Amino acid sequence: MPTSLFSLAFGVGTQNRQGNWLEVFYAQPLLNPAGEIIAAISPLLGYQGGNQAIAISTAQAATLSDALKPLDPSQCALLTRLAESQRPLVVTLLETDAAPASTPEAYLKLHLLSHRLVKPHGVNLSGIFPLLPNVAWTNQGAVDLAELAERQLEARLKGELLEVFSVDKFPKMTDYVVPAGVRIADAARVRLGAYIGEGTTVMHEGFVNFNAGTEGPGMIEGRVSAGVFVGKGSDLGGGCSTMGTLSGGGNIVISVGEGCLIGANAGIGIPLGDRNTVEAGLYITAGTKVNLLDEQNQLVKVVKAREVAGQADLLFRRNSLTGAVECKTHKSAIELNEALHAHN
C-alpha cells in the first residue's frame, strides 16, 4: 500500500449499456491527499498501489464515509451523499502522474485543471483522446451515440424532448465546476480541463480549450487554444487566436505574458513576453519576417518572429504603406535589448 498519492477522488458518473464509462463527475478531487486518508481507505478498496479506477457500491461509499469521518469531514460528507446515488460510483486513485489509462483517470485530470489544483502543462495528459468517448451531451446528461436514437424515441413517447447540445469528447466545464470569481458569457465555449483564473471574463466569442487558460484577471474575447496559458492582466480582443499544440504549433508551447494585448482578429504562433501588443488583424507565426525598429523607427535588423519570442515590452504592427511586419519597443526611453541590436 502506498503512503502517498498524486491524486484521489470519489466520483459519480455515467456508463453506457455495456458498462463502459462515458463521463465522471468529481465534486471534490484531492491533490496529494494526506497519508492517513490513504491508509484508511486502501484496505476497504483492496487497493495495493498504482493508478486505478475502482467501481464501488453505495454500501462501500457509506463504509468509506465512516472511515473518513475523523480524518476529513468534507470528503466524509461527500461520500455520505454518494451513498444515496442511483448512478455508478467510482474511486480513482493516482499514485503517480502517469499518462491516464482509463476514462475515470482522464476525467480526474481534467477536473484537477478546472478546479485550479494544477495549471496547464502541470499534469500528464498523454494519450487522453482515445480515453474520452465521443458522446451526445443532452439535457439528460451524457448519452452513448449508439443509444441516442432509441433514447430520443423513448423521450418522444413520454411527451418529452431529449435535447442534444453537442456531440463531442469534452463537456462544458461549467457542468462540472464553476471556479470562484469568474464571468463566462457562453458556457458552451469553455471545455472541461480549462483553467480559468479568478478575475477572468470570457465573453460570448471567447473560447478556452482544455489544458489551457488564464492566470486572471483578464478579458478573453478570442480563442485560447489547447496548451496556451494567458498571464494576468492580459486582454485577447474579439476574434483573435492563439496557435495551440493541436493546431500546427508542434512542440512549441505558446503562452501570453502579463499585461498583453492581442488586438481584434489578430493571432500569435509564438510565445509573447510581458506587456506585448499585437496590432488588430496581424497574425504572427514563428517564421514571420519582422523588421526590428529602434526608437527613431530606423531599421535595425530583419529577423524571424521566433527570435523575439518571449521578450518584454514589444509592439508588433504592420506598416500601412509597405505591408511589412514591424516590431519596436513600447518604451521610448528603453533601447531594444542587445539581441535586437546585434547585426551579426
Side-chain angles (χ1 to χ4, degrees):
M1 182 183 71
T3 57
S4 64
L5 290 178
F6 169 71
S7 184
L8 165 68
F10 306 102
V12 55
T14 307
Q15 294 176 330
N16 64 12
R17 290 171 181 170
Q18 285 71 48
N20 300 317
W21 289 102
L22 300 180
E23 56 86 40
V24 182
F25 170 70
Y26 300 104
Q28 300 173 26
L30 296 173
L31 186 68
N32 303 315
E36 54 264 30
I37 292 179
I38 304 166
I41 68 172
S42 293
L44 301 177
L45 296 170
Y47 175 67
Q48 297 295 319
N51 292 0
Q52 291 188 44
I54 302 173
I56 62 170
S57 65
T58 53
Q60 286 176 295
T63 301
L64 289 166
S65 177
D66 291 338
L68 292 185
K69 190 172 185 178
L71 302 174
D72 191 323
S74 179
Q75 295 293 324
C76 170
L78 171 61
L79 283 160
T80 298
R81 298 298 302 277
L82 294 181
E84 304 167 354
S85 175
Q86 297 179 0
R87 308 295 297 175
L89 304 177
V90 63
V91 181
T92 302
L93 308 98
L94 302 181
E95 185 175 6
T96 63
D97 182 24
S102 67
T103 299
E105 290 180 31
Y107 265 82
L108 174 52
K109 293 201 167 186
L110 295 176
H111 277 72
L112 292 176
L113 284 157
S114 291
H115 276 274
R116 301 177 183 157
L117 295 173
V118 297
K119 290 184 176 181
H121 302 287
V123 66
N124 187 347
L125 299 176
S126 300
I128 193 172
F129 283 97
L131 302 175
L132 299 175
N134 192 32
V135 303
W137 301 100
T138 79
N139 59 327
Q140 296 181 15
V143 176
D144 189 304
L145 292 178
E147 301 169 5
L148 180 60
E150 185 176 349
R151 289 280 298 273
Q152 288 175 318
L153 176 59
E154 290 174 357
R156 292 284 181 168
L157 294 175
K158 296 176 183 177
E160 301 172 354
L161 172 66
L162 181 65
E163 185 176 0
V164 178
F165 300 119
S166 68
V167 178
D168 195 9
K169 287 177 171 287
F170 291 83
K172 294 187 293 187
M173 181 190 75
T174 53
D175 285 347
Y176 292 79
V177 55
V178 178
V182 305
R183 292 170 55 206
I184 301 174
D186 185 349
R189 298 183 66 84
V190 181
R191 278 174 149 183
L192 181 64
Y195 181 111
I196 309 297
E198 186 167 359
T200 298
T201 295
V202 183
M203 292 300 290
H204 296 80
E205 294 304 315
F207 171 81
V208 187
N209 211 335
F210 81 103
N211 198 31
T214 64
E215 183 74 33
M219 175 69 71
I220 305 299
E221 298 181 271
R223 179 182 179 85
V224 183
S225 298
V228 178
F229 195 58
V230 179
K232 64 182 180 181
S234 289
D235 186 342
L236 272 61
C240 79
S241 180
T242 55
M243 185 183 294
T245 54
L246 300 179
S247 57
N251 294 322
I252 299 174
V253 177
I254 307 299
S255 60
V256 178
E258 298 182 0
C260 290
L261 170 62
I262 303 178
N265 297 318
I268 59 167
I270 61 170
L272 293 185
D274 294 342
R275 299 173 302 280
N276 276 208
T277 297
V278 181
E279 181 184 70
L282 175 60
Y283 203 115
I284 302 170
T285 64
T288 299
K289 295 293 182 65
V290 178
N291 290 347
L292 301 178
L293 306 180
D294 62 17
E295 296 172 22
Q296 287 73 43
N297 291 325
Q298 297 301 306
L299 179 64
V300 175
K301 191 178 182 181
V302 179
V303 299
K304 291 183 177 180
R306 65 169 61 93
E307 297 181 45
V308 293
Q311 297 194 43
D313 299 303
L314 296 180
L315 165 66
F316 294 91
R317 68 188 187 190
R318 188 178 295 280
N319 188 297
S320 60
L321 296 178
T322 67
V325 177
E326 299 174 340
C327 175
K328 64 176 298 183
T329 178
H330 274 313
K331 299 181 179 180
S332 59
I334 301 176
E335 294 184 348
L336 292 174
N337 66 34
E338 183 177 355
L340 303 190
H341 278 294
H343 289 274
N344 49 28

